Amino acid sequence: MANALKRETWPDVVNLILGACLFLSPWVLGFYGDSAASWNAWLSGIVVAGLAIAALAAFAEWEEWINLIVGIWVAVSPWLVGFSGDAAAAWTHLILGAIVAIVAAARIWLARSPHVTA
């Protein structure tokens, strides 16, 4: 039981940490002066962390699908929103967004895969 619980909750814990990192990144990495990048990081970080908390409280697959979409958004937002010229902001969004999307996809896969029972 503990292994199944751990196997199913680690992605949500990781996305909670990634959401917090994304939220704090404008201050930590110094791109808080770029309002588009900062607001994107703050709002996206809140959404990612909030969905992770909701999934930890009561899992629903739709939460992971939204986190997957938000992760993709975060990864491509430097070019769509127009802050790709700020290297710190662009790389932060690209890397954290890709990881959020991969982790959400892994959680969806775990939810859909048959569980091994002993």
Side-chain angles (χ1 to χ4, degrees), residues 64-81:
E64 301 306 329
W65 282 104
I66 294 175
N67 243 350
L68 176 65
I69 293 166
V70 172
I72 293 168
W73 163 258
V74 171
V76 300
S77 64
W79 296 274
L80 296 178
V81 177

Side-chain angles (χ1 to χ4, degrees), residues 9-56:
T9 59
W10 73 263
D12 300 319
V13 173
V14 169
N15 269 347
L16 175 61
I17 294 167
L18 291 170
C21 289
L22 187 58
F23 181 83
L24 295 173
S25 65
W27 295 292
V28 174
L29 299 174
F31 61 88
Y32 57 86
D34 185 342
S35 63
S38 296
W39 278 103
N40 193 66
W42 294 327
L43 295 175
S44 298
I46 289 170
V47 170
V48 169
L51 287 167
I53 290 169
L56 285 168

